[in-house]
Amino acid sequence: MSISPLLLIATILCSWALLAASDDNHGKTKTVATSNDHHGKARTVTYDGRSIMIDGKRDLFFSGSIHYPRIPTENWGKILDKAKHGGLNVIQTYVFWNIHEPVQGQFDFVGNKDIVKFIKLIQEKGMYVTLRLGPFIEAEWNYGGFPFWLREVPDIIFRTNNEPFKKHMQKFVERIVKMMKDEKLFYPQGGPIILAQIENEYNNIQLAFEEKGAQYVQWAGNMAVGLNVGVPWMMCKQKDAPDPVINSCNGRNCGDTFTGPNKPYKPFLWTENWTAQYRVFGDPPSQRAAEDIAFAVARFYSKNGTLVNYYMYHGGTNYGRTASSFVTTRYYDEAPLDEYGFQKEPKWGHLKDLHSALKLCKKALLKGTPSVQMLGKEIEARVYEKPGSNVCAAFLCNNNTKEPATVNFRGKQYYLPQRSISILPDCKTVVYNSQTVVSQHNKRNFVVQEKATKSLKWEMSQDKIPIINDCPLKSPRPLELMSVTKDTSDFLWYTARIELNDEDLPRRSDIHPVIQVANLGHGMHAFVNGKYIGSGHGSNIEKSFTFQKVAPLKSGTNHIQLLGYTVGLPDSGVYLERRLAGVHAVSVQGLNTGTLDITDNGWGHKVGIEGEKLRLYTQGGSHRVDWNTVKGPGGPLTWYKAYFDAPAGNGPLALNLTSMSKGMAWVNGRSLGRYWVSYLTPFGKPSQAEYHIPRPFVKPTENLLVLLEESGGDPNGITIMAVNRDTICSSVSEYHPPHVKSWERQDSHLRIVADDVKTKADLKCPNKKVMTSVDFASWGDPSGSCGNFTVGTCNSPSAKKVVEQHCLGKTQCQIPIERKLFDKDKEPCPDMLKTLAVQVLCTNKD
């Protein structure tokens, strides 16, 4: 059904003007535990088939994943504040076994590993916690969270009915639970933890273990429940989770893909709503639109959902060597809070508005009787209504991905964009539509800091390339890399010596010896007689590869020097304890005597490279070698250092490393993570070019910046940048509903709280900055996105002037979406449904 733009606008305005002029038995309730607060009242976390209940009260839970080790401790509070401001009332985090027990029996809970401090801070901010104990977590985290020493336990098989594994898993889980209990962090004790998770997406590998897999699931669930933590346990993506453990959904569209809890008295929980796609080196850019997430979340709550968790809400950074195989240092940068902690708009704002709209529906959702009414093909109304009262909420859903629709619901016309849900908290008034974004947009800017960049006076030091006599570990054949490095370094040297005479070497000038290496992954830098001949690597999909390069062999003794490396340990799949990496077989082709297989020639091995052991990335360690002034691009295995003073301000900084290749960077001894800008996407660009320098890493002056460059680069091309999101935008059409903040619920009624309920473009600068320039403004049919708007076929010549009058010099402004404001004289394109697109720049006040 179609409707003219002007009639559509009239219909919408009419619906807003009209507004201006039983707790059902959901099955048995699970009471997990009780305690008393300081008023003597019992503190309980219970559930039934409708919801999680806190102290017997139903609620809707909006949760976000934020991982404490991926954020400097100093920034935890800022990130949590923005999460709460975004409408969250729950924070979800994993427990990272391998950072807490890197050596068996030796525990570490200091700095950004202080999980107790993190949880207490969440409680101070007024939010609950979901604690995912795993201890397998995946999470694109090194080895899925397992400490490497676990692999070396005799007869161990991970994540199955295996006694050695179960023993160590239970021991760690019990330790963490005891720590939480001792600190009184579970809700019945007065703490914020309301849910706990054991295991993680085990259904993905369960069938590989057949009967032992099913036995393990039962054991893990029962073990967890037996710890008596006082809150419900859950298992994500685990259909056979044993009672009373709740099985939950992970995915992008759990409102349609989740088959539901395995018992009618368990609530609908969505533990991972993927806000983007994590990236690996070599990946092209990927994103997930705010509109798509909003649709999925509204859909889930309209179908009996009680908790949705955004994975990730803030991804942060994989510092050091914490990322899993091939995963980029930047983690879930497309989340509502980006890597730097900025609100990524419109994702952050659009989801905040969704939470507000759902809260207006809370009474109906939790106490109303649900019903479904088909309004047309692929169009339905999901209604929650309490008979005999004014409690009613409706979700009008257009499931068609291509066509908008206009539908009649209870005697009124409603316009539904394609694949969208309109939320009506009183079954009459549209306060939110998932496809029509009213919240502002923004664009991230990387601003080169000229003074800091020009102050970088680079020095270099070449790392040592060993021969077999320098390598303490000898073996007839190349050894498996991970078993030797034991996750103490990415690197393992493989060295061999071969003797050749003139008769062995080719005599023709067009034939040269070639070294061929079969490598199990992940990568390798090759040297012959100390000369670099090239590098090779696999990919996230196929770790193994074959390396072939011309080798400068000579008559006499020749040294084969291969530096194998991993780019993080694997984090998923079956039999993690059996994964392999490193040099597997080596041969020399092109000799007069034929191909020479030197795999069994006898090999020396050395873990790590010399600069790592000397800790050249620290102030003290940097004095242990001689440094030379950099005059141009450098070769492989080179350390670089320089000093810089902190640029003005307190915002985050970044390094642009596109002049380098692969390695790691440190600031004042703190690792920024791995960089790999030479591994290009199909678009010919690095998967990640900028690398985050958190402000807490930086001193006012004399900051030591160190890089280990593995295969060659030019540090003179490195720039230091300040990062901001000071470019803000709005794109609002005439059919957009007014902002959800125009309403509030009072008792059982929806009440207007705005001066006038009209559609407006809202703009607000971050950090109390003011709008100093209008870079784009168009009223008509503009296209594009923030930072890339273009004028369409219709445009009002007064648009920029109107925006300037409303916004310049202000921290916040509103621009009414009204034709009379922009088309005072002759109106261009009167039959067109019009949109206002605006882009402004925010700067500090003078």
Side-chain angles (χ1 to χ4, degrees):
M1 179 180 178
S2 63
I3 188 170
S4 73
L6 294 180
L7 179 58
L8 170 61
I9 296 166
T11 302
I12 295 170
L13 292 174
C14 182
S15 69
W16 302 333
L18 282 172
L19 177 64
S22 105
D23 211 346
D24 295 331
N25 180 10
H26 296 279
K28 60 183 180 181
T29 300
K30 287 285 183 177
T31 301
V32 181
T34 61
S35 183
N36 293 329
D37 62 17
H38 62 282
H39 297 296
K41 297 179 181 179
R43 291 174 58 93
T44 63
V45 184
T46 58
Y47 66 79
D48 63 12
R50 180 61 198 95
S51 69
I52 298 287
M53 290 173 280
I54 307 296
D55 298 334
K57 296 180 180 178
R58 302 188 185 281
D59 209 342
L60 300 178
F61 298 93
F62 309 108
S63 175
S65 287
I66 298 174
H67 295 159
Y68 54 98
R70 285 178 158 135
I71 313 168
T73 311
E74 299 90 336
N75 289 351
W76 284 352
K78 297 176 185 177
I79 297 297
L80 293 175
D81 283 339
K82 291 179 181 179
K84 184 175 183 182
H85 186 47
L88 301 193
N89 55 5
V90 183
I91 299 298
Q92 182 193 96
T93 186
Y94 283 120
V95 180
F96 297 75
W97 188 357
N98 55 7
I99 65 169
H100 294 310
E101 193 180 4
V103 177
Q104 187 174 0
Q106 297 180 22
F107 292 90
D108 185 356
F109 294 95
V110 299
N112 69 341
K113 304 168 189 174
D114 191 344
I115 185 173
V116 168
K117 181 178 179 180
F118 183 66
I119 293 174
K120 287 182 176 180
L121 186 58
I122 295 170
Q123 184 172 27
E124 288 176 18
K125 302 295 183 182
M127 293 180 285
Y128 299 119
V129 173
T130 295
L131 192 64
R132 307 177 82 183
L133 284 91
F136 171 77
I137 61 173
E138 191 168 341
E140 293 70 59
W141 189 262
N142 195 48
Y143 220 27
F146 287 147
F148 192 83
W149 58 259
L150 192 68
R151 168 180 168 135
E152 300 183 317
V153 172
D155 302 319
I156 198 165
I157 303 175
F158 292 175
R159 305 177 69 200
T160 186
N161 192 24
N162 170 268
E163 292 305 321
F165 177 76
K166 292 193 298 182
K167 171 188 172 183
H168 287 283
M169 171 178 168
Q170 182 168 354
K171 185 176 180 181
F172 178 73
V173 171
E174 287 177 345
R175 182 182 184 93
I176 297 299
V177 166
K178 183 178 185 301
M179 179 185 294
M180 298 299 113
K181 286 184 175 180
D182 289 347
E183 297 289 340
K184 301 189 184 305
L185 295 179
F186 289 107
Y187 185 80
Q189 299 176 288
I193 302 173
I194 60 169
L195 288 168
Q197 179 181 303
I198 196 72
E199 249 297 333
N200 191 52
E201 295 187 342
Y202 189 67
N203 264 161
N204 292 347
I205 67 166
Q206 181 172 338
L207 291 179
F209 295 114
E210 299 178 338
E211 184 180 352
K212 287 190 174 183
Q215 293 169 348
Y216 169 70
V217 170
Q218 298 300 309
W219 170 84
N222 292 328
M223 181 270 290
V225 172
L227 297 175
N228 298 315
V229 299
V231 302
W233 285 91
M234 59 186 183
M235 283 182 166
C236 61
K237 295 179 75 170
Q238 196 61 48
K239 296 179 181 179
D240 57 346
D243 265 356
V245 179
I246 305 165
N247 61 300
S248 62
C249 182
N250 289 359
R252 285 189 172 219
N253 296 289
C254 285
D256 291 308
T257 61
F258 187 36
T259 56
N262 59 17
K263 291 291 191 296
Y265 46 80
K266 296 179 181 180
F268 285 72
L269 307 181
W270 188 352
T271 34
E272 288 188 18
N273 178 10
W274 304 321
T275 56
Q277 175 65 46
Y278 72 87
R279 296 181 67 187
V280 299
F281 289 113
D283 266 359
S286 63
Q287 62 180 10
R288 187 181 181 195
E291 296 91 330
D292 183 59
I293 301 173
F295 177 89
V297 172
R299 183 84 168 148
F300 188 75
Y301 282 106
S302 77
K303 298 176 76 172
N304 212 41
T306 185
L307 178 149
V308 171
N309 177 74
Y310 300 104
Y311 189 98
M312 300 287 295
Y313 196 78
H314 170 63
T317 306
N318 291 315
Y319 299 109
R321 301 173 49 253
T322 57
S324 64
S325 299
F326 287 87
V327 170
T328 58
T329 299
R330 172 182 291 161
Y331 189 60
Y332 269 88
D333 186 42
E334 292 285 332
L337 297 177
D338 71 10
E339 181 190 14
Y340 300 89
F342 293 121
Q343 294 163 197
K344 180 176 175 56
E345 301 285 16
K347 190 172 286 186
W348 183 88
H350 195 45
L351 295 178
K352 177 186 178 182
D353 294 345
L354 171 60
H355 304 150
S356 297
L358 289 168
K359 288 174 185 176
L360 292 174
C361 304
K362 183 166 72 172
K363 191 169 185 179
L365 283 170
L366 296 175
K367 295 188 176 183
T369 300
S371 63
V372 181
Q373 178 185 350
M374 297 307 298
L375 303 178
K377 185 180 180 182
E378 298 184 287
I379 303 171
E380 64 185 19
R382 291 187 171 268
V383 180
Y384 287 79
E385 192 167 16
K386 191 172 183 181
S389 74
N390 293 320
V391 176
C392 185
F395 296 78
L396 307 185
C397 179
N398 180 3
N399 283 303
N400 190 303
T401 59
K402 296 181 180 179
E403 298 294 333
T406 300
V407 300
N408 185 293
F409 175 68
R410 298 194 174 185
K412 291 177 61 177
Q413 296 287 310
Y414 296 91
Y415 175 73
L416 298 176
Q418 64 274 18
R419 197 172 187 269
S420 74
I421 295 178
S422 284
I423 298 177
L424 291 63
D426 59 354
C427 287
K428 294 180 290 186
T429 308
V430 176
V431 302
Y432 182 90
N433 178 271
S434 61
Q435 190 66 27
T436 54
V437 178
V438 179
S439 60
Q440 75 178 26
H441 304 231
N442 63 23
K443 173 182 172 290
R444 187 165 63 194
N445 305 306
F446 292 94
V447 183
V448 175
Q449 302 299 287
E450 297 289 350
K451 183 178 179 181
T453 298
K454 289 179 179 178
S455 72
L456 295 171
K457 307 301 181 186
W458 289 102
E459 296 179 287
M460 61 182 288
S461 179
Q462 192 79 31
D463 210 277
K464 183 178 179 182
I465 301 169
I467 61 175
I468 191 168
N469 292 342
D470 301 321
C471 298
L473 180 59
K474 304 294 195 299
S475 173
R477 295 176 57 90
L479 297 173
E480 194 279 319
L481 186 148
M482 289 189 286
S483 298
V484 179
T485 63
K486 302 184 189 302
D487 197 28
T488 59
S489 171
D490 284 354
F491 305 110
L492 178 64
W493 279 107
Y494 295 84
T495 59
R497 180 173 52 231
I498 58 175
E499 300 290 337
L500 298 175
N501 57 44
D502 290 339
E503 296 299 318
D504 296 317
L505 298 173
R507 297 174 182 174
R508 288 170 47 180
S509 60
D510 61 335
I511 298 178
H512 303 278
V514 170
I515 187 167
Q516 177 174 288
V517 181
N519 196 302
L520 300 173
H522 299 161
M524 183 185 72
H525 306 299
F527 302 79
V528 174
N529 295 323
K531 181 180 179 181
Y532 175 68
I533 64 169
S535 300
H537 61 82
S539 68
N540 183 55
I541 296 174
E542 181 53 65
K543 310 298 191 291
S544 61
F545 63 97
T546 300
F547 173 89
Q548 285 183 305
K549 288 289 182 180
V550 172
L553 299 176
K554 63 184 180 179
S555 180
T557 301
N558 291 271
H559 295 285
I560 310 299
Q561 301 143 307
L562 308 176
L563 182 60
Y565 64 81
T566 52
V567 189
L569 301 189
D571 73 328
S572 61
V574 71
Y575 299 123
L576 275 175
E577 72 282 355
R578 301 180 188 179
R579 303 297 175 84
L580 305 174
V583 173
H584 180 61
V586 185
S587 61
V588 179
Q589 300 171 316
L591 299 176
N592 279 343
T593 50
T595 297
L596 177 63
D597 189 339
I598 61 173
T599 305
D600 296 314
N601 204 57
W603 290 81
H605 303 79
K606 186 178 182 181
V607 176
I609 59 177
E610 202 64 28
E612 284 183 297
K613 297 179 176 65
L614 296 175
R615 294 172 58 83
L616 298 186
Y617 48 85
T618 65
Q619 187 63 44
S622 66
H623 297 295
R624 293 173 182 152
V625 297
D626 294 327
W627 298 82
N628 301 307
T629 300
V630 171
K631 300 187 186 305
L637 290 189
T638 302
W639 293 84
Y640 296 98
K641 75 167 184 175
Y643 290 89
F644 69 94
D645 293 342
N650 55 12
L653 303 172
L655 289 178
N656 184 300
L657 296 177
T658 50
S659 66
M660 307 304 288
S661 295
K662 180 184 183 297
M664 186 173 285
W666 294 261
V667 170
N668 296 325
R670 301 176 75 169
S671 173
L672 306 182
R674 299 183 183 96
Y675 68 85
W676 198 354
V677 292
S678 60
Y679 193 169
L680 303 181
T681 73
F683 302 127
K685 295 182 179 181
S687 296
Q688 181 177 346
E690 303 88 12
Y691 291 80
H692 182 200
I693 307 176
R695 276 286 176 167
F697 286 17
V698 178
K699 305 179 298 181
T701 61
E702 289 293 301
N703 293 283
L704 174 63
L705 172 59
V706 176
L707 276 75
L708 165 62
E709 173 53 53
E710 297 176 28
S711 56
D714 185 359
N716 289 315
I718 294 172
T719 56
I720 297 173
M721 302 175 294
V723 191
N724 66 57
R725 283 189 179 268
D726 290 344
T727 299
I728 62 173
C729 305
S730 181
S731 180
V732 179
S733 77
E734 293 176 285
Y735 74 79
H736 280 53
H739 198 282
V740 66
K741 64 185 177 184
S742 303
W743 295 275
E744 70 175 13
R745 179 162 291 285
Q746 192 174 61
D747 298 324
S748 297
H749 299 277
L750 196 63
R751 187 172 74 89
I752 294 174
V753 292
D755 291 337
D756 57 349
V757 184
K758 294 180 179 179
T759 302
K760 304 180 184 71
D762 281 278
L763 292 168
K764 183 178 181 180
C765 287
N767 303 319
K768 299 181 180 179
K769 296 179 181 181
V770 297
M771 299 173 218
T772 53
S773 67
V774 177
D775 299 330
F776 182 91
S778 176
W779 169 254
D781 62 340
S783 60
S785 58
C786 193
N788 193 33
F789 284 125
T790 57
V791 174
T793 59
C794 178
N795 179 51
S796 169
S798 64
K800 186 172 183 180
K801 183 178 179 181
V802 170
V803 175
E804 288 175 340
Q805 290 173 342
H806 280 77
C807 298
L808 283 184
K810 299 178 181 179
T811 295
Q812 186 172 4
C813 68
Q814 292 183 331
I815 310 159
I817 305 300
E818 296 177 352
R819 295 192 173 213
K820 64 181 181 181
L821 186 63
F822 295 94
D823 301 320
K824 291 182 178 180
D825 301 321
K826 183 178 179 181
E827 179 180 356
C829 321
D831 295 329
M832 176 182 290
L833 188 67
K834 295 185 178 181
T835 295
L836 174 66
V838 177
Q839 177 177 312
V840 304
L841 180 65
C842 300
T843 59
N844 288 312
K845 295 181 181 179
D846 294 334

